[in-house]
Coordinates of all heavy atoms in Angstrom, one line a residue:
R23 N 0.8 -1.2 0.0 CA 0.0 0.0 0.0 C 0.9 1.2 0.0 O 0.6 2.2 -0.8 CB -0.9 0.0 1.2 CG -1.8 1.1 1.3 CD -2.9 1.1 2.5 NE -3.9 0.2 2.1 CZ -4.1 -1.0 2.6 NH1 -3.5 -1.3 3.6 NH2 -5.2 -1.7 2.2
D24 N 1.9 1.3 0.8 CA 2.8 2.3 0.9 C 3.4 2.7 -0.4 O 3.5 3.9 -0.8 CB 3.9 2.0 1.9 CG 4.9 3.2 2.2 OD1 4.3 4.4 2.5 OD2 6.0 3.0 2.1
Q25 N 3.8 1.7 -1.2 CA 4.5 1.9 -2.5 C 3.5 2.5 -3.5 O 3.8 3.3 -4.3 CB 5.2 0.6 -3.0 CG 6.4 0.3 -2.2 CD 7.5 1.4 -2.1 OE1 7.9 1.9 -3.2 NE2 7.7 1.9 -0.9
F26 N 2.2 2.0 -3.4 CA 1.3 2.5 -4.4 C 0.8 4.0 -4.1 O 0.6 4.8 -5.0 CB -0.1 1.6 -4.3 CG 0.0 0.4 -5.1 CD1 0.0 -0.9 -4.6 CD2 0.3 0.4 -6.5 CE1 0.3 -2.1 -5.2 CE2 0.4 -0.8 -7.3 CZ 0.4 -2.0 -6.6
I27 N 0.8 4.3 -2.8 CA 0.7 5.8 -2.5 C 1.8 6.6 -3.0 O 1.5 7.6 -3.5 CB 0.4 5.9 -0.9 CG1 -0.8 5.3 -0.4 CG2 0.5 7.3 -0.5 CD1 -1.0 5.1 1.0
K28 N 3.1 6.2 -2.8 CA 4.3 6.8 -3.3 C 4.1 6.9 -4.9 O 4.4 7.9 -5.4 CB 5.5 6.1 -2.9 CG 5.8 6.3 -1.5 CD 7.1 5.6 -1.1 CE 7.4 5.6 0.4 NZ 8.6 5.0 0.8
A29 N 3.5 5.9 -5.5 CA 3.5 6.0 -6.9 C 2.4 7.0 -7.4 O 2.6 7.6 -8.3 CB 3.1 4.6 -7.5
Q30 N 1.4 7.1 -6.6 CA 0.4 8.1 -6.8 C 1.0 9.5 -6.7 O 0.8 10.4 -7.6 CB -0.8 8.1 -5.9 CG -1.8 6.9 -6.1 CD -2.8 6.8 -5.1 OE1 -2.6 7.1 -3.8 NE2 -4.0 6.4 -5.4
E31 N 1.8 9.7 -5.8 CA 2.5 11.0 -5.6 C 3.5 11.3 -6.7 O 3.6 12.4 -7.3 CB 3.3 11.1 -4.2 CG 2.3 11.2 -3.0 CD 3.0 10.7 -1.7 OE1 4.2 10.5 -1.7 OE2 2.2 10.8 -0.7
Y32 N 4.2 10.2 -7.1 CA 5.1 10.3 -8.2 C 4.4 10.7 -9.5 O 4.9 11.6 -10.3 CB 5.9 9.0 -8.4 CG 7.0 8.9 -9.5 CD1 8.3 9.3 -9.3 CD2 6.7 8.4 -10.8 CE1 9.2 9.3 -10.3 CE2 7.6 8.3 -11.8 CZ 8.9 8.8 -11.5 OH 9.8 8.8 -12.5
R33 N 3.3 10.1 -9.7 CA 2.5 10.3 -11.0 C 2.1 11.8 -11.0 O 2.1 12.4 -12.0 CB 1.3 9.4 -11.0 CG 0.4 9.6 -12.1 CD -0.7 8.6 -12.3 NE -1.5 8.5 -11.1 CZ -2.6 7.8 -10.9 NH1 -2.8 6.8 -11.8 NH2 -3.3 7.8 -9.8
E34 N 1.6 12.2 -9.8 CA 1.1 13.6 -9.7 C 2.3 14.7 -10.0 O 2.1 15.7 -10.6 CB 0.5 13.9 -8.3 CG -0.2 15.3 -8.2 CD -1.3 15.3 -9.2 OE1 -2.0 14.4 -9.5 OE2 -1.6 16.5 -9.7
K35 N 3.5 14.4 -9.5 CA 4.7 15.2 -9.7 C 5.0 15.3 -11.3 O 5.3 16.3 -11.8 CB 5.9 14.8 -9.0 CG 5.8 15.0 -7.5 CD 7.0 14.4 -6.8 CE 6.8 14.6 -5.2 NZ 8.0 14.0 -4.5
V36 N 4.9 14.1 -11.9 CA 5.2 13.9 -13.4 C 4.1 14.9 -14.1 O 4.5 15.5 -15.1 CB 5.3 12.6 -13.8 CG1 5.4 12.5 -15.3 CG2 6.5 11.9 -13.2
K37 N 2.9 14.6 -13.7 CA 1.8 15.4 -14.3 C 1.9 16.9 -14.3 O 1.8 17.6 -15.2 CB 0.4 14.9 -13.7 CG -0.8 15.4 -14.4 CD -2.1 14.8 -13.8 CE -3.3 15.5 -14.4 NZ -4.4 14.9 -13.8
K38 N 2.3 17.3 -13.0 CA 2.4 18.8 -12.7 C 3.6 19.3 -13.5 O 3.5 20.5 -13.9 CB 2.6 19.1 -11.3 CG 1.4 18.9 -10.5 CD 1.6 19.3 -9.0 CE 0.2 19.2 -8.2 NZ 0.4 19.5 -6.8
A39 N 4.7 18.6 -13.8 CA 5.8 19.0 -14.5 C 5.5 19.3 -15.9 O 6.1 20.1 -16.6 CB 7.0 18.1 -14.4
G40 N 4.5 18.5 -16.5 CA 4.1 18.7 -17.8 C 5.3 18.5 -18.7 O 6.0 17.4 -18.7
T41 N 5.6 19.4 -19.6 CA 6.8 19.3 -20.6 C 8.0 19.9 -19.9 O 9.0 20.0 -20.7 CB 6.3 19.9 -22.0 OG1 6.0 21.3 -21.7 CG2 5.2 19.3 -22.5
D42 N 8.0 20.5 -18.8 CA 9.2 21.1 -18.3 C 10.0 20.1 -17.7 O 9.8 19.6 -16.4 CB 8.7 22.2 -17.3 CG 10.0 23.1 -16.7 OD1 11.1 22.7 -16.9 OD2 9.6 24.0 -16.1
A43 N 11.0 19.6 -18.3 CA 11.9 18.6 -17.8 C 12.7 19.0 -16.5 O 13.2 18.1 -15.8 CB 12.9 18.2 -18.9
T44 N 12.9 20.3 -16.3 CA 13.5 20.7 -15.1 C 12.6 20.4 -13.8 O 13.3 20.4 -12.7 CB 13.9 22.2 -15.1 OG1 12.7 23.0 -15.2 CG2 14.8 22.4 -16.3
K45 N 11.4 20.3 -14.0 CA 10.5 20.1 -12.8 C 10.1 18.6 -12.6 O 9.5 18.3 -11.6 CB 9.2 20.9 -13.0 CG 9.4 22.4 -13.0 CD 8.1 23.1 -13.1 CE 8.3 24.6 -13.1 NZ 7.1 25.3 -13.3
L46 N 10.7 17.7 -13.5 CA 10.4 16.3 -13.4 C 11.1 15.8 -12.1 O 12.3 16.2 -11.9 CB 10.8 15.5 -14.5 CG 9.9 15.6 -15.8 CD1 10.6 15.0 -17.1 CD2 8.6 15.0 -15.5
P47 N 10.5 14.8 -11.4 CA 11.3 14.2 -10.3 C 12.3 13.3 -10.8 O 12.2 12.9 -12.1 CB 10.2 13.4 -9.6 CG 9.2 13.1 -10.6 CD 9.2 14.3 -11.6
P48 N 13.3 12.9 -10.1 CA 14.3 12.0 -10.6 C 13.6 10.7 -11.1 O 12.7 10.2 -10.5 CB 15.2 11.7 -9.4 CG 15.0 12.8 -8.5 CD 13.6 13.2 -8.7
R49 N 14.0 10.2 -12.2 CA 13.4 9.0 -12.8 C 13.6 7.8 -11.8 O 14.6 7.5 -11.3 CB 14.0 8.7 -14.1 CG 13.3 7.7 -14.9 CD 13.5 7.7 -16.4 NE 12.5 6.7 -16.9 CZ 12.7 6.3 -18.2 NH1 13.9 6.5 -18.8 NH2 11.8 5.4 -18.7
D50 N 12.4 7.1 -11.7 CA 12.4 6.0 -10.8 C 11.6 4.9 -11.5 O 10.4 5.0 -11.7 CB 11.7 6.3 -9.6 CG 11.7 5.2 -8.5 OD1 11.7 4.0 -8.9 OD2 11.7 5.5 -7.3
L51 N 12.3 3.8 -12.2 CA 11.7 3.0 -13.0 C 10.7 2.0 -12.1 O 9.7 1.5 -12.6 CB 12.8 1.9 -13.5 CG 13.7 2.6 -14.5 CD1 14.8 1.6 -15.1 CD2 13.0 3.3 -15.7
G52 N 11.0 1.8 -10.8 CA 10.1 1.0 -10.0 C 8.7 1.8 -9.9 O 7.6 1.2 -9.9
M53 N 8.8 3.1 -9.7 CA 7.6 3.9 -9.6 C 6.8 4.0 -10.8 O 5.6 4.0 -10.9 CB 7.9 5.4 -9.1 CG 8.3 5.5 -7.7 SD 7.0 5.2 -6.6 CE 7.6 3.8 -5.6
E54 N 7.5 4.1 -11.9 CA 6.9 4.1 -13.3 C 6.2 2.7 -13.5 O 5.1 2.9 -14.1 CB 8.0 4.3 -14.4 CG 8.6 5.7 -14.3 CD 9.6 6.0 -15.5 OE1 9.6 5.2 -16.4 OE2 10.4 7.0 -15.3
A55 N 6.7 1.6 -13.1 CA 6.0 0.4 -13.2 C 4.7 0.5 -12.3 O 3.7 -0.1 -12.9 CB 6.9 -0.7 -12.8
L56 N 4.8 1.0 -11.2 CA 3.5 1.1 -10.3 C 2.6 2.0 -10.9 O 1.3 1.8 -10.8 CB 4.0 1.3 -8.9 CG 4.8 0.4 -8.1 CD1 5.1 0.9 -6.7 CD2 4.0 -1.0 -8.0
V57 N 3.1 3.1 -11.5 CA 2.2 4.0 -12.1 C 1.4 3.4 -13.3 O 0.2 3.6 -13.4 CB 3.0 5.3 -12.6 CG1 2.0 6.1 -13.5 CG2 3.3 6.1 -11.4
E58 N 2.1 2.6 -14.0 CA 1.5 1.9 -15.1 C 0.3 0.9 -14.5 O -0.8 0.8 -15.1 CB 2.5 0.9 -15.9 CG 3.3 1.8 -16.8 CD 4.4 0.8 -17.6 OE1 4.2 -0.4 -17.4 OE2 5.1 1.5 -18.3
A59 N 0.6 0.2 -13.3 CA -0.5 -0.5 -12.7 C -1.6 0.4 -12.3 O -2.8 0.0 -12.5 CB 0.1 -1.3 -11.5
L60 N -1.3 1.5 -11.7 CA -2.4 2.5 -11.3 C -3.2 2.9 -12.5 O -4.3 3.2 -12.4 CB -1.7 3.7 -10.6 CG -1.1 3.4 -9.1 CD1 -0.4 4.6 -8.7 CD2 -2.2 3.0 -8.2
D61 N -2.6 3.0 -13.6 CA -3.3 3.5 -14.9 C -4.0 2.4 -15.5 O -4.5 2.7 -16.7 CB -2.2 4.2 -15.8 CG -1.8 5.6 -15.2 OD1 -2.4 6.1 -14.3 OD2 -0.7 6.1 -15.6
G62 N -3.9 1.2 -15.0 CA -4.5 0.1 -15.7 C -3.8 -0.5 -16.9 O -4.3 -1.3 -17.7
K63 N -2.6 -0.1 -17.1 CA -1.7 -0.6 -18.2 C -0.9 -1.8 -17.9 O -0.2 -2.3 -18.7 CB -0.7 0.5 -18.6 CG -1.5 1.7 -19.1 CD -0.5 2.9 -19.5 CE -1.2 4.1 -19.9 NZ -0.3 5.2 -20.1
R64 N -0.8 -2.2 -16.6 CA -0.1 -3.3 -16.2 C -0.9 -4.2 -15.1 O -1.6 -3.5 -14.3 CB 1.2 -2.9 -15.5 CG 2.2 -3.9 -15.0 CD 3.4 -3.3 -14.5 NE 4.1 -2.6 -15.4 CZ 5.4 -2.9 -15.8 NH1 5.9 -4.1 -15.3 NH2 6.1 -2.3 -16.6
V65 N -0.8 -5.5 -15.3 CA -1.7 -6.3 -14.3 C -0.7 -6.6 -13.1 O 0.5 -6.9 -13.3 CB -2.0 -7.7 -14.9 CG1 -2.6 -8.6 -14.0 CG2 -3.0 -7.3 -16.1
V66 N -1.2 -6.5 -11.9 CA -0.4 -6.8 -10.7 C -0.7 -8.3 -10.3 O -1.7 -8.7 -10.2 CB -0.7 -5.9 -9.6 CG1 0.0 -6.2 -8.2 CG2 -0.6 -4.5 -10.0
H67 N 0.4 -9.0 -10.1 CA 0.3 -10.5 -9.8 C 0.6 -10.5 -8.4 O 1.8 -10.3 -7.8 CB 1.4 -11.3 -10.6 CG 1.1 -11.2 -12.1 ND1 0.3 -12.1 -12.7 CD2 1.4 -10.3 -12.9 CE1 0.3 -11.9 -14.0 NE2 0.9 -10.8 -14.1
F68 N -0.3 -11.0 -7.5 CA -0.2 -11.1 -6.1 C 0.1 -12.6 -5.8 O -0.7 -13.5 -6.1 CB -1.4 -10.7 -5.3 CG -1.6 -9.2 -5.1 CD1 -2.3 -8.5 -6.0 CD2 -0.9 -8.5 -4.1 CE1 -2.4 -7.2 -5.8 CE2 -1.0 -7.2 -3.9 CZ -1.8 -6.5 -4.8
H69 N 1.3 -13.0 -5.3 CA 1.6 -14.3 -4.9 C 1.0 -14.5 -3.5 O 1.6 -13.9 -2.5 CB 3.1 -14.5 -4.9 CG 3.6 -15.8 -4.6 ND1 4.0 -16.6 -5.5 CD2 3.7 -16.4 -3.4 CE1 4.4 -17.8 -4.9 NE2 4.2 -17.6 -3.6
T70 N -0.1 -15.3 -3.4 CA -0.8 -15.4 -2.2 C -0.8 -16.9 -1.8 O -1.1 -17.7 -2.6 CB -2.2 -14.7 -2.2 OG1 -2.9 -15.4 -3.3 CG2 -2.1 -13.3 -2.5
H71 N -0.9 -17.2 -0.5 CA -1.2 -18.5 0.0 C -2.2 -18.5 1.0 O -3.3 -19.0 0.9 CB 0.1 -19.2 0.5 CG 1.0 -19.6 -0.5 ND1 0.9 -20.8 -1.3 CD2 2.1 -19.1 -1.0 CE1 1.8 -20.8 -2.3 NE2 2.6 -19.8 -2.1
R72 N -1.9 -17.7 2.1 CA -2.9 -17.6 3.3 C -4.1 -16.8 2.9 O -4.1 -15.8 2.2 CB -2.2 -17.1 4.4 CG -1.0 -17.9 4.9 CD -0.5 -17.4 6.1 NE -0.8 -16.0 6.5 CZ -0.1 -15.2 7.3 NH1 1.1 -15.6 7.7 NH2 -0.5 -14.1 7.6
A73 N -5.2 -17.2 3.6 CA -6.5 -16.5 3.3 C -6.4 -15.0 3.7 O -6.9 -14.1 2.9 CB -7.6 -17.2 4.3
D74 N -5.6 -14.6 4.8 CA -5.6 -13.2 5.0 C -4.7 -12.5 4.0 O -5.0 -11.2 3.7 CB -5.0 -12.9 6.5 CG -3.6 -13.5 6.7 OD1 -3.3 -14.6 6.0 OD2 -2.8 -12.8 7.5
D75 N -3.8 -13.0 3.4 CA -2.9 -12.4 2.3 C -3.8 -12.2 1.1 O -3.7 -11.2 0.4 CB -1.7 -13.2 2.0 CG -0.7 -13.3 3.1 OD1 -0.6 -12.3 3.9 OD2 0.1 -14.3 3.1
I76 N -4.7 -13.3 0.8 CA -5.5 -13.2 -0.3 C -6.5 -12.0 -0.1 O -6.6 -11.2 -1.2 CB -6.3 -14.5 -0.5 CG1 -5.3 -15.7 -0.8 CG2 -7.4 -14.4 -1.5 CD1 -6.0 -17.1 -0.7
M77 N -7.1 -11.8 0.9 CA -8.0 -10.8 1.2 C -7.3 -9.4 1.2 O -7.9 -8.4 0.8 CB -8.9 -11.1 2.4 CG -9.7 -12.3 2.3 SD -10.7 -12.4 0.9 CE -11.7 -10.8 0.9
T78 N -6.1 -9.4 1.7 CA -5.4 -8.1 1.6 C -5.1 -7.6 0.2 O -5.3 -6.4 -0.1 CB -4.0 -8.2 2.4 OG1 -4.2 -8.5 3.8 CG2 -3.1 -7.0 2.2
A79 N -4.8 -8.6 -0.7 CA -4.6 -8.3 -2.1 C -5.9 -7.8 -2.7 O -5.8 -6.8 -3.4 CB -4.1 -9.6 -2.8
V80 N -7.0 -8.4 -2.3 CA -8.3 -7.9 -2.9 C -8.6 -6.5 -2.4 O -9.1 -5.7 -3.2 CB -9.4 -8.9 -2.4 CG1 -10.8 -8.4 -2.8 CG2 -9.2 -10.3 -3.2
R81 N -8.4 -6.2 -1.2 CA -8.6 -4.9 -0.6 C -7.7 -3.9 -1.3 O -8.2 -2.7 -1.6 CB -8.3 -4.8 0.9 CG -9.5 -5.4 1.7 CD -9.4 -5.1 3.2 NE -8.1 -5.6 3.8 CZ -7.8 -6.8 4.2 NH1 -8.9 -7.7 4.1 NH2 -6.6 -7.1 4.7
I82 N -6.4 -4.2 -1.5 CA -5.5 -3.3 -2.1 C -6.0 -3.0 -3.6 O -5.9 -1.9 -3.9 CB -4.1 -3.8 -2.1 CG1 -3.6 -3.6 -0.6 CG2 -3.1 -3.0 -3.0 CD1 -2.3 -4.3 -0.3
A83 N -6.3 -4.1 -4.2 CA -6.8 -4.0 -5.6 C -8.1 -3.1 -5.7 O -8.0 -2.2 -6.6 CB -7.2 -5.4 -6.2
K84 N -9.0 -3.2 -4.8 CA -10.1 -2.2 -4.8 C -9.7 -0.8 -4.3 O -10.2 0.1 -5.0 CB -11.2 -2.7 -3.8 CG -11.9 -4.0 -4.2 CD -13.1 -4.3 -3.2 CE -13.9 -5.4 -3.6 NZ -14.9 -5.7 -2.6
E85 N -8.8 -0.7 -3.4 CA -8.4 0.7 -3.0 C -7.8 1.4 -4.1 O -8.0 2.6 -4.2 CB -7.5 0.5 -1.9 CG -7.0 1.8 -1.3 CD -6.0 1.6 0.0 OE1 -5.9 0.6 0.5 OE2 -5.4 2.7 0.3
F86 N -6.9 0.8 -4.9 CA -6.2 1.4 -6.0 C -6.8 1.1 -7.3 O -6.0 1.6 -8.4 CB -4.7 1.2 -5.9 CG -4.2 1.6 -4.6 CD1 -3.9 0.8 -3.5 CD2 -3.7 2.9 -4.4 CE1 -3.4 1.2 -2.4 CE2 -3.2 3.4 -3.3 CZ -3.0 2.6 -2.3
D87 N -7.9 0.5 -7.5 CA -8.6 0.1 -8.8 C -7.5 -0.6 -9.6 O -7.3 -0.2 -10.8 CB -9.1 1.4 -9.4 CG -10.0 1.0 -10.6 OD1 -10.6 0.0 -10.5 OD2 -10.1 1.8 -11.5
L88 N -6.9 -1.7 -9.1 CA -5.9 -2.4 -9.9 C -6.5 -3.6 -10.6 O -7.5 -4.2 -10.2 CB -4.8 -2.9 -9.0 CG -4.1 -1.8 -8.1 CD1 -3.2 -2.5 -7.0 CD2 -3.3 -0.9 -9.0
Q89 N -5.8 -4.0 -11.8 CA -6.2 -5.2 -12.3 C -5.2 -6.2 -11.7 O -4.0 -6.0 -11.8 CB -6.0 -5.1 -13.8 CG -6.9 -4.2 -14.6 CD -6.5 -4.2 -15.9 OE1 -6.2 -5.0 -16.7 NE2 -6.6 -3.0 -16.6
I90 N -5.7 -7.3 -11.2 CA -4.8 -8.2 -10.5 C -5.0 -9.8 -10.9 O -6.0 -10.0 -11.5 CB -4.9 -8.2 -8.9 CG1 -6.3 -8.6 -8.4 CG2 -4.7 -6.8 -8.4 CD1 -6.3 -8.8 -6.9
T91 N -4.1 -10.5 -10.6 CA -4.2 -11.9 -10.5 C -3.8 -12.3 -9.1 O -3.0 -11.8 -8.5 CB -3.4 -12.7 -11.6 OG1 -2.0 -12.5 -11.3 CG2 -3.7 -12.2 -13.0
L92 N -4.4 -13.4 -8.7 CA -4.1 -14.1 -7.3 C -3.4 -15.5 -7.7 O -4.0 -16.4 -8.0 CB -5.3 -14.3 -6.6 CG -6.1 -13.1 -6.2 CD1 -7.5 -13.3 -5.6 CD2 -5.4 -12.2 -5.2
D93 N -2.0 -15.4 -7.6 CA -1.3 -16.5 -8.0 C -1.2 -17.5 -6.7 O -0.9 -17.1 -5.6 CB 0.1 -16.1 -8.4 CG 0.0 -15.3 -9.7 OD1 -1.0 -15.4 -10.4 OD2 1.0 -14.5 -9.9
H94 N -1.4 -18.8 -7.0 CA -1.4 -19.8 -6.0 C -2.6 -19.9 -5.3 O -3.3 -20.9 -5.4 CB 0.0 -19.8 -5.1 CG 1.2 -20.0 -5.8 ND1 1.5 -21.1 -6.5 CD2 2.1 -19.1 -6.1 CE1 2.7 -20.9 -7.1 NE2 3.0 -19.6 -6.9
C95 N -2.9 -18.9 -4.4 CA -4.2 -18.9 -3.7 C -4.5 -20.1 -2.9 O -5.6 -20.7 -3.0 CB -5.3 -18.5 -4.7 SG -6.6 -17.5 -4.2
T96 N -3.5 -20.7 -2.2 CA -3.7 -21.9 -1.6 C -4.9 -22.0 -0.7 O -5.6 -22.9 -0.7 CB -2.4 -22.1 -0.6 OG1 -1.2 -22.0 -1.5 CG2 -2.4 -23.5 0.0
D97 N -5.1 -21.0 0.2 CA -6.3 -21.0 1.0 C -7.6 -20.3 0.4 O -8.5 -20.0 1.1 CB -6.0 -20.3 2.3 CG -5.1 -21.0 3.3 OD1 -4.9 -22.3 3.0 OD2 -4.6 -20.4 4.3
G98 N -7.5 -20.3 -1.0 CA -8.7 -19.6 -1.7 C -10.0 -20.3 -1.3 O -11.1 -19.5 -1.2
A99 N -10.1 -21.6 -1.0 CA -11.4 -22.2 -0.7 C -11.9 -21.6 0.6 O -13.1 -21.6 0.8 CB -11.2 -23.6 -0.6
L100 N -11.0 -21.2 1.5 CA -11.5 -20.6 2.8 C -12.2 -19.2 2.6 O -13.0 -18.8 3.5 CB -10.3 -20.5 3.8 CG -9.5 -21.8 4.1 CD1 -8.4 -21.5 4.9 CD2 -10.6 -22.8 4.7
V101 N -11.9 -18.6 1.5 CA -12.5 -17.3 1.3 C -13.1 -17.2 0.0 O -13.3 -16.1 -0.7 CB -11.4 -16.2 1.5 CG1 -10.8 -16.0 2.7 CG2 -10.3 -16.4 0.5
A102 N -13.6 -18.3 -0.5 CA -14.2 -18.4 -1.7 C -15.5 -17.5 -1.9 O -15.6 -16.8 -3.0 CB -14.6 -19.8 -2.1
K103 N -16.3 -17.5 -1.0 CA -17.5 -16.5 -1.0 C -17.0 -15.1 -1.2 O -17.7 -14.3 -1.9 CB -18.4 -16.8 0.1 CG -19.0 -18.1 0.2 CD -20.0 -18.2 1.4 CE -20.5 -19.7 1.3 NZ -21.5 -19.9 2.6
E104 N -16.0 -14.8 -0.4 CA -15.6 -13.3 -0.5 C -14.9 -13.0 -1.8 O -15.1 -11.9 -2.3 CB -14.6 -13.0 0.7 CG -15.2 -12.9 2.0 CD -15.2 -14.4 2.7 OE1 -15.0 -15.4 2.0 OE2 -15.5 -14.5 3.9
L105 N -14.2 -13.9 -2.4 CA -13.6 -13.9 -3.6 C -14.7 -13.7 -4.8 O -14.6 -12.8 -5.7 CB -12.7 -14.9 -4.0 CG -11.4 -15.0 -3.2 CD1 -10.6 -16.3 -3.5 CD2 -10.6 -13.7 -3.5
A106 N -15.7 -14.4 -4.7 CA -16.7 -14.4 -5.6 C -17.6 -13.1 -5.5 O -17.8 -12.6 -6.6 CB -17.7 -15.6 -5.5
K107 N -17.8 -12.6 -4.4 CA -18.4 -11.4 -4.2 C -17.6 -10.2 -4.7 O -18.2 -9.2 -5.3 CB -18.7 -11.1 -2.7 CG -19.5 -10.0 -2.3 CD -19.8 -9.9 -0.8 CE -20.5 -8.6 -0.4 NZ -20.8 -8.4 0.9
A108 N -16.3 -10.3 -4.6 CA -15.4 -9.2 -5.2 C -15.1 -9.3 -6.6 O -14.6 -8.5 -7.3 CB -14.1 -9.3 -4.4
G109 N -15.7 -10.4 -7.2 CA -15.6 -10.6 -8.7 C -14.3 -11.4 -9.1 O -14.0 -11.3 -10.2
Y110 N -13.8 -12.1 -8.3 CA -12.6 -13.0 -8.6 C -13.0 -14.4 -8.8 O -13.8 -14.9 -8.1 CB -11.4 -12.7 -7.7 CG -11.0 -11.3 -7.6 CD1 -11.3 -10.4 -6.6 CD2 -10.1 -10.8 -8.6 CE1 -11.0 -9.1 -6.6 CE2 -9.8 -9.6 -8.6 CZ -10.0 -8.7 -7.6 OH -9.6 -7.4 -7.7

């Protein structure tokens, strides 16, 4: 969550700089990848096993409007109703 918030701030700084390269923040490839996820251009893959990790991924996806996959999802059967309700 912390990194997605930082990516939102990075995206805003880039947007405010516009075409003025002197106002751009230092280039951060990690932030650029997260900005792509925030903009719906990149799918986020959550490697999850435990039910609480699965539901955390779902909450983060909703909070930041992310396109995600839940990889492995070992305890998925324990939260199947919640996953179905969330559209996964």
Side-chain angles (χ1 to χ4, degrees):
R23 178 174 285 117
D24 183 54
Q25 292 302 304
F26 282 115
I27 291 169
K28 288 179 183 178
Q30 288 175 326
E31 293 166 354
Y32 181 85
R33 177 176 60 184
E34 190 61 31
K35 288 177 185 176
V36 169
K37 185 177 178 181
K38 284 183 180 179
T41 58
D42 186 349
T44 64
K45 293 183 180 180
L46 286 172
R49 188 154 190 210
D50 185 329
L51 297 178
M53 285 294 118
E54 288 181 20
L56 292 177
V57 167
E58 287 181 2
L60 291 170
D61 290 341
K63 297 176 184 174
R64 183 180 293 249
V65 175
V66 179
H67 300 266
F68 283 96
H69 181 100
T70 59
H71 287 283
R72 297 182 350 204
D74 61 327
D75 293 334
I76 295 166
M77 294 312 300
T78 296
V80 170
R81 283 192 304 276
I82 289 171
K84 284 185 178 184
E85 181 178 346
F86 294 99
D87 194 28
L88 302 172
Q89 297 177 36
I90 69 166
T91 64
L92 297 168
D93 299 335
H94 300 291
C95 216
T96 306
D97 286 347
L100 301 175
V101 291
K103 289 181 183 177
E104 291 88 348
L105 290 174
K107 186 177 178 181
Y110 298 102

